[in-house]
Amino acid sequence: MDDLFPAVRSVATGLLYDEELMLQHRCLWDPEFEECPERLRSVLERCRELGLMERCERLPCRPATEAELLMFHTQSHLSTAAGTSGCRDVEALQQLSSKYDTVFFHPSTYKAALLSAGSTLSLVDAVIDGTVRNGMAIIRPPGHHAGPSEFNGYCYFNNVALAALRAAQRRLKVLIVDWDVHHGQGTQRAFYDDDRVMYFSVHRYEHGEFWPGLREGEYDCVGDGPGLGLNWNVPLNGTGMEDQDYLAIWHRLLLPAAYEFAPDVVLVSAGYDAALGCPQGEMRVSPACFAHLTHSLMSLASGRLAVVLEGGYCLSSLAESAALTLRALLGDPPPPLPALLPPCDSVEETILNVVSSQRRSWGFLTLYDTYHPAPGGGGGGGGAAAAPDQHIPVVEYRGDPPPADATYPTIGACPVQSEEEKERYRRELDQLREDTDLTVAPCRLVVAKTHHHHPNPMNGVIRSESVAALMQGCLEVGGGADACQEDGITEAIDAVLEDRAVAGFCACIEPDGPAAARHALSRCQRLLVVDWRDSPLCVAPDWGLMVPCPSDAEAVVLTISGGGCEVVNLHHDQKTTAELSPTVEPLLSWAGADRIRTPLMLESPSPDVSWESGEAVALLTQLLLPLAYQLCPQLVLLLAPAVPPESAALAEHVTHHLRALAGGRLVVIGSDACLPPLLGRPPRPLPPLGAPSLAALANLRRALRRQGQHWPALAEMKRVPETALEGRKPSTYEPFH
Ligand code: Q9C
Ligand code: ZN
């Protein structure tokens, strides 16, 4: 694939927007129509306020050509749309609009829709050509409901489907992530049996009662033919879903699937109608959370990510969320989130439903054990009751079939909030904005140097010239004539905790991890240490004994080595101390290690268990990230000494994802393999994952079961039926107007 991409790539973030045609297109007969010009204005205004505009490379908007639109749409669809262009007969426009489900035509609609589609194509081309690294198209009208000859749900041309087709024609594998709160049925249908495009949608569903309410939005619609397994629906059967629900879906499903699919380019159908305050979605996703969703996707496809605006109808949350998405694309670490709770029961249920339907298609899902359903049991009542660890997937569709030949109301189609409700959300959003830390330290990186007379430890660890170039302008500490390497590490940690630098790096071959952790804990309350070894023979230091944890602090050490992983929670808990057996107590100036300790290496010292990247991705997404987001550390220490070349890409990915915690306050002690992502560069792609080792997954499953007692954010690891529901073709392929 590499030869399909340019050797030299820009590191810029592309930005497309239009302040003429895209602001003219509006509903002439319903002043309350939510898909309105103010949406764009509010996003652009907030991006300006945050100083994001001038950091981007502006790319010109341009209309799509007829040939481009014909990649997906029919000639008659184009003609119908073109027929409205410049039309002054408002009644005729309204009359035409009523033939489609929630669509309005304005004299400028056709041209604005051409511009939306063309701009999206320009963006994806620029990302593929390497003109920009990633980018965002702040456009309207949106596109993901449009079919080949269907106008639907504020959409005319399917911008993202067209862009995906363009990328596929350029022989690239495409991932489409659709986080708009509505199911993008137009996009799903475009690629349902296509093996070049994976579609992943999270949407409000309510068992089919929420618009568009189609059977094909259900979790068991997983693609067909060569596309089997490549269509992911994550239906949300309730409202009020929050950050932890979306992040759980990202960690447990999207990220591991995306790593396994290994796309060449990622497109986002970025609707903000799941954002807090939006009357459409009635969800509660915070603006900062969108930065996290974006940041995690930047790890894929060498960072080739094109974000395309879809819905989002609460102007203030739309503006804040879209702006924080753009900020993440620019490489700023996502703002810290409060400690995350586990997902709600309904989302847990949905995730397990998705697992049941997708388990056969995806290696990482063999993490889930299976059971043989009793005959007559499962799939909806009757039969034997399930054991507590058995998940029974059920489809309970409550939607209505689409009406044939209907006309649709053109006025009053949008939900309206009461003034009180609006006011409540406004206050809540103001509060969130106030609590969200958007400060960026003056320096991206602090580097601990040692003095040059020292024969071994630090010198010569920073190898490549390109890395040296990246580090220009970094803050340097340590390195005085009689400095030892511990001084450098200590100073780097201080610089990061005092926000003099965003992140820190210490080149170090044999780091004293416990000393660094002890120092960090003297300056902060919640610390995550990730001790990522490369050798199965490497024995983890007894962290618990070496790091006394102050009573008001919580620290977690995750040790990962060739043989497995171990989690030690250094949380001091007076009660636990008192309960410790007298033989142990004298050894401990801290407590709690007995509570949470999983010596997996000792439990299963199997020599053929290795953390190759397939298993490592499972470990990262299923254990490390959920645990880290629940702990909500103020600082992360990553010990990654002497990363061998074949693990360098993995080290980059771990570094990239850990930067999402603690507002990017991450200090890496070890190899310069971690440097590019520390400076905001996308990690290079992992080698092909291959089937994960069953022994390694068994190790991980055990760790999750055991740690789950103390970390509710971890998956419960229920078993799913061996004979998963058959992936089924959607019941309706007919036009939906
Ligand atoms: N009674 C986008 O967010 N609602 N489209 C229809 C019918 C339509 C949303 C309600 C919502 C369309 C791009
Ligand atoms: Zn939407």
Side-chain angles (χ1 to χ4, degrees):
M1 266 313 144
D2 267 0
D3 53 328
L4 294 173
F5 292 114
V8 180
R9 274 178 76 204
S10 159
V11 294
T13 292
L15 183 64
L16 295 98
Y17 60 93
D18 166 82
E19 291 179 287
E20 285 180 41
L21 277 165
M22 289 186 193
L23 293 179
Q24 287 170 24
H25 164 69
R26 66 188 176 91
C27 184
L28 290 171
W29 43 84
D30 184 353
E32 303 272 356
F33 206 98
E34 60 186 2
E35 209 293 274
C36 60
E38 288 68 35
R39 297 181 58 235
L40 282 199
R41 282 205 194 93
S42 66
V43 173
L44 297 175
E45 189 192 12
R46 188 60 179 145
C47 290
R48 286 203 178 93
E49 259 175 37
L50 289 177
L52 304 175
M53 291 295 201
E54 57 265 32
R55 296 172 60 193
C56 295
E57 183 163 323
R58 185 155 179 200
L59 301 171
C61 291
R62 53 106 179 158
T65 66
E66 186 173 273
E68 286 173 333
L69 294 170
L70 288 173
M71 285 194 291
F72 180 62
H73 295 287
T74 63
Q75 186 70 57
S76 77
H77 185 71
L78 305 194
S79 309
T80 309
T84 67
S85 188
C87 171
R88 288 287 143 205
D89 183 345
V90 175
E91 244 167 71
L93 289 174
Q94 190 169 1
Q95 160 72 25
L96 178 67
S97 303
S98 71
K99 301 209 312 201
Y100 307 101
D101 188 353
T102 27
V103 164
F104 62 85
F105 284 97
H106 178 274
S108 71
T109 295
Y110 174 64
K111 285 192 172 150
L114 286 182
L115 212 51
S116 263
S119 305
T120 307
L121 285 162
S122 281
L123 173 59
V124 77
D125 278 336
V127 166
I128 295 170
D129 290 338
T131 317
V132 293
R133 175 173 68 205
N134 57 27
M136 185 162 182
I138 301 175
I139 54 167
R140 60 183 288 272
H144 72 151
H145 298 305
S149 47
E150 291 87 29
F151 305 104
N152 180 272
Y154 319 159
C155 300
Y156 306 84
F157 303 131
N158 195 320
N159 310 315
V160 166
L162 287 165
L165 282 167
R166 165 67 58 86
Q169 278 171 1
R170 296 182 67 170
R171 298 198 293 131
L172 303 178
K173 245 192 309 176
V174 186
L175 165 63
I176 300 174
V177 177
D178 189 336
W179 74 48
D180 185 282
V181 87
H182 301 97
H183 181 231
Q185 84 280 47
T187 310
Q188 166 165 318
R189 290 173 186 185
F191 303 107
Y192 203 69
D193 58 3
D194 195 325
D195 64 352
R196 303 170 301 174
V197 180
M198 175 163 119
Y199 177 70
F200 189 104
S201 174
V202 185
H203 45 270
R204 178 173 169 188
Y205 193 58
E206 298 178 299
H207 302 285
E209 287 178 327
F210 186 70
W211 192 92
L214 304 169
R215 176 66 182 81
E216 68 205 73
E218 187 58 280
Y219 67 85
D220 60 333
C221 299
V222 293
D224 199 17
L228 186 71
L230 295 182
N231 196 80
W232 293 76
N233 282 325
V234 185
L236 304 176
N237 292 315
T239 55
M241 304 301 178
E242 306 190 50
D243 296 358
Q244 65 268 20
D245 299 302
Y246 275 76
L247 281 165
I249 291 163
W250 252 233
H251 294 154
R252 284 171 59 185
L253 300 173
L254 174 56
L255 284 181
Y259 272 112
E260 201 165 320
F261 179 63
D264 300 305
V265 61
V266 180
L267 309 179
V268 181
S269 263
Y272 295 91
D273 31 21
L276 178 69
C278 182
Q280 269 290 343
E282 299 182 82
M283 300 296 179
R284 301 182 48 82
V285 179
S286 74
C289 185
F290 287 100
H292 288 260
L293 304 182
T294 305
H295 178 84
S296 66
L297 297 178
M298 289 164 69
S299 64
L300 305 164
S302 305
R304 288 184 198 89
L305 178 59
V307 177
V308 181
L309 184 62
E310 300 276 2
Y313 310 102
C314 167
L315 296 186
S316 50
S317 78
L318 163 68
E320 195 66 17
S321 305
L324 294 190
T325 302
L326 182 59
R327 185 177 179 271
L329 288 176
L330 283 161
D332 289 358
L337 294 177
L340 285 194
L341 303 164
C344 68
D345 290 348
S346 158
V347 164
E348 183 67 41
E349 171 94 13
T350 289
I351 289 176
L352 290 170
N353 283 341
V354 175
V355 169
S356 305
S357 286
Q358 289 280 19
R359 190 178 178 281
R360 298 191 223 188
S361 305
W362 296 92
F364 77 93
L365 290 179
T366 49
L367 182 63
Y368 288 82
D369 273 334
T370 58
Y371 67 92
H372 289 279
D389 73 334
Q390 293 180 353
H391 173 73
I392 302 181
V394 180
V395 170
E396 193 191 334
Y397 183 63
R398 300 180 202 151
D400 296 323
D405 229 18
T407 59
Y408 295 86
T410 55
I411 297 185
C414 306
V416 270
Q417 288 166 333
S418 68
E419 284 309 315
E420 295 94 290
E421 208 174 356
K422 273 191 204 150
E423 178 59 27
R424 237 196 358 260
Y425 283 127
R426 233 213 353 250
R427 255 184 269 131
E428 210 171 339
L429 274 162
D430 283 349
Q431 188 63 50
L432 264 183
R433 244 193 315 249
E434 202 169 296
D435 295 345
T436 304
D437 183 6
L438 294 181
T439 52
V440 178
C443 191
R444 265 172 171 312
L445 190 67
V446 52
V447 180
K449 282 212 142 186
T450 190
H451 66 91
H452 293 274
H453 318 295
H454 210 286
N456 192 4
M458 305 248 231
N459 301 328
V461 181
I462 297 169
R463 286 176 296 261
S464 68
E465 272 177 56
S466 59
V467 165
L470 272 179
M471 288 171 52
Q472 298 270 313
C474 289
L475 185 66
E476 281 185 18
V477 293
D482 31 54
C484 65
Q485 65 179 34
E486 272 66 46
D487 294 341
I489 294 172
T490 302
E491 285 185 54
I493 289 172
D494 289 347
V496 169
L497 283 173
E498 288 161 15
D499 283 342
R500 283 181 280 129
V502 180
F505 174 71
C506 317
C508 192
I509 289 162
E510 284 172 26
D512 185 347
R518 272 197 303 272
H519 177 71
L521 277 173
S522 71
R523 314 253 350 228
C524 72
Q525 262 85 51
R526 291 185 313 280
L527 173 71
L528 173 66
V529 182
V530 179
D531 180 2
W532 197 295
R533 311 300 177 107
D534 62 295
S535 156
L537 301 173
C538 187
V539 178
D542 197 336
W543 282 93
L545 294 176
M546 299 174 80
V547 187
C549 191
S551 62
D552 54 347
E554 178 153 26
V556 168
V557 182
L558 179 62
T559 314
I560 300 153
S561 72
C565 66
E566 177 177 18
V567 180
V568 183
N569 188 345
L570 307 178
H571 183 204
H572 183 97
D573 181 332
Q574 287 301 337
K575 255 201 318 231
T576 317
T577 314
E579 288 158 8
L580 284 175
S581 82
T583 49
V584 186
E585 198 169 19
L587 287 174
L588 306 173
S589 56
W590 54 281
D594 62 315
R595 231 171 20 111
I596 305 180
R597 196 175 172 107
T598 309
L600 281 182
M601 278 170 63
L602 308 177
E603 194 175 277
S604 173
S606 150
D608 56 324
V609 175
S610 66
W611 292 105
E612 297 301 330
S613 37
E615 295 86 66
V617 167
L619 176 74
L620 175 71
T621 57
Q622 311 301 305
L623 179 78
L624 175 52
L625 289 178
L627 185 146
Y629 272 93
Q630 190 188 334
L631 174 67
C632 184
Q634 292 155 314
L635 180 75
V636 181
L637 290 181
L638 171 60
L639 307 179
V643 175
E646 65 274 17
S647 316
L650 181 59
E652 292 190 13
H653 285 266
V654 173
T655 307
H656 176 89
H657 288 289
L658 287 177
R659 234 167 67 88
L661 284 308
R665 291 175 190 87
L666 167 62
V667 176
V668 174
I669 306 174
S671 161
D672 66 351
C674 302
L675 266 173
L678 213 47
L679 288 158
R681 299 297 148 98
R684 78 184 94 158
L686 292 176
L689 293 192
S693 131
L694 294 183
L697 288 187
N699 251 356
L700 178 56
R701 195 182 307 132
R702 253 198 311 278
L704 288 170
R705 289 224 169 96
R706 186 176 299 199
Q707 296 297 334
Q709 297 162 22
H710 308 284
W711 298 94
L714 299 181
E716 264 181 79
M717 296 319 302
K718 286 203 176 184
R719 291 184 291 149
V720 297
E722 178 62 58
T723 47
L725 291 175
E726 200 64 56
R728 62 183 301 280
K729 220 178 166 109
S731 47
T732 45
Y733 258 91
E734 292 83 52
F736 37 98
H737 63 260

